[in-house]
Amino acid sequence: LPGLHSLLVSRRGELLLEYYAPNQSRTRLANIKSASKSIIAMLVGIAIDRQLIKSVDEPIVTYFPELKQDPEPRKQTITIEQLLTMRSGLETTSGENYGAWTHSRNWVRYALTRPLVSAPGTDMEYSTGTSHLLSAILTRVTKTSTHAFAQRVLAGPLGFTLARWPRDPQGIDFGGNEMLMTPRQMLAIGELWRNRGEVRRWWDFARRLPDRLREGQWGDLRDELRLRLRLAADDELRRDASIGVELVDG
């Protein structure tokens, strides 16, 4: 697997295996690409919990009043939930439209002025611009950058510093791509989901990690995994087993 840069295996919060390819390390940042959208969704949930956003049912026209002047009145019915589930109905800014969107002078305006290709709340249309609108909303309601909010309410409590990632021409942090994390930071986010929001710091995942694996010695991965998975032999443990694999491209 020449493209494999790192491999972390975790079960019930215990880091069982940690491997880094030659010239890689646990501190090297990786671009998590569109997994960034999941981080944005988490931040929206935190903002709702802190009553910075009323609910997922809130129409986005609350934050983008310019939609009232749009010739398509149905855009005023688009909600936070529909942005989260990519059912806004807006034409995608991804795929063949991605370059035009990222080269535009105003990413938010470009996304909002796309024509409706379906009624809001119906069809799913994958679009990075849709997720970026959520970053713009977070910037408005938190009165700070999405990055700063993420550091304060997510990365900070988990015990790490979140690297900077790109911003749009208006200075809004990219809301759907290009976030940077180390493999252990990714694992910490995954464990946060598994623990239903209970915070455990990333260094806790190294407990009882075999010395030879902590030191980067690969050994026979297949035998190691089989040994560990036999610990989850009964049906209940199998259902609860948690294995995380990170494939880092470049």
Side-chain angles (χ1 to χ4, degrees), residues 44 47 51-53 58-68 80 83 106-110 112 132-147 149 152 168 170-173:
V44 170
Q51 300 182 339
L52 299 173
I53 296 174
E58 190 170 18
I60 66 170
V61 69
T62 303
Y63 307 102
F64 306 115
E66 59 267 34
L67 289 176
K68 295 178 181 179
I80 297 286
L83 293 185
N106 189 312
W107 294 6
V108 169
R109 183 171 60 207
Y110 189 97
L112 290 173
H132 187 65
L133 293 177
L134 292 169
S135 182
I137 291 172
L138 287 169
T139 301
R140 296 187 184 194
V141 301
T142 64
K143 297 180 173 56
T144 186
S145 68
T146 299
H147 174 271
F149 184 62
R152 186 171 77 246
D168 73 7
Q170 282 63 51
I172 297 170
D173 289 308

Side-chain angles (χ1 to χ4, degrees), residues 19-20 57 66 105-106 114-115 126 130 133 136 151 157 172 175 194 198 204 213-214 216-217 222 235:
Y19 163 78
Y20 297 96
D57 298 320
E66 59 267 34
R105 295 183 177 180
N106 189 312
R114 294 308 88 203
Y126 185 87
T130 297
L133 293 177
Q151 180 60 47
I172 297 170
R194 191 183 70 83
E198 179 186 347
D204 291 337
L213 296 176
R214 186 183 295 114
Q217 298 176 26
R222 288 176 300 177
D235 289 340

Side-chain angles (χ1 to χ4, degrees), residues 79-246:
T79 65
I80 297 286
E81 180 181 16
Q82 289 162 4
L83 293 185
L84 288 167
T85 58
M86 296 197 177
R87 294 182 298 116
S88 69
L90 294 168
E91 179 184 73
T92 182
T93 62
S94 295
E96 62 183 14
N97 298 331
Y98 189 78
W101 174 58
T102 57
H103 285 89
S104 68
R105 295 183 177 180
N106 189 312
W107 294 6
V108 169
R109 183 171 60 207
Y110 189 97
L112 290 173
T113 55
R114 294 308 88 203
L116 287 182
V117 295
S118 61
T122 57
D123 298 337
M124 187 270 193
E125 185 78 17
Y126 185 87
S127 177
T128 300
T130 297
S131 185
H132 187 65
L133 293 177
L134 292 169
S135 182
I137 291 172
L138 287 169
T139 301
R140 296 187 184 194
V141 301
T142 64
K143 297 180 173 56
T144 186
S145 68
T146 299
H147 174 271
F149 184 62
Q151 180 60 47
R152 186 171 77 246
V153 304
L154 189 59
L158 287 173
F160 64 83
T161 299
L162 198 59
R164 287 283 341 180
W165 69 86
R167 292 175 284 184
D168 73 7
Q170 282 63 51
I172 297 170
D173 289 308
F174 203 163
N177 204 346
E178 307 292 339
M179 287 187 186
L180 302 170
M181 289 188 181
T182 67
R184 281 199 174 193
Q185 290 169 359
M186 297 179 214
L187 178 59
I189 295 293
E191 284 292 326
L192 185 64
W193 277 99
R194 191 183 70 83
N195 292 316
R196 298 174 183 262
E198 179 186 347
V199 173
R200 297 181 183 180
R201 295 180 184 273
W202 63 263
W203 52 77
D204 291 337
F205 304 136
R207 292 174 303 170
R208 298 183 297 281
L209 180 65
D211 289 340
R212 65 184 179 84
L213 296 176
R214 186 183 295 114
E215 293 168 1
Q217 298 176 26
W218 182 243
D220 190 331
L221 173 62
R222 288 176 300 177
D223 286 349
E224 184 72 26
L225 290 178
R226 286 171 184 155
L227 173 63
R228 298 297 182 175
L229 289 176
R230 277 201 293 270
L231 298 175
D234 64 84
D235 289 340
E236 180 180 358
L237 289 181
R238 255 196 213 102
R239 286 195 297 270
D240 292 341
S242 173
I243 299 175
V245 178
E246 298 296 341

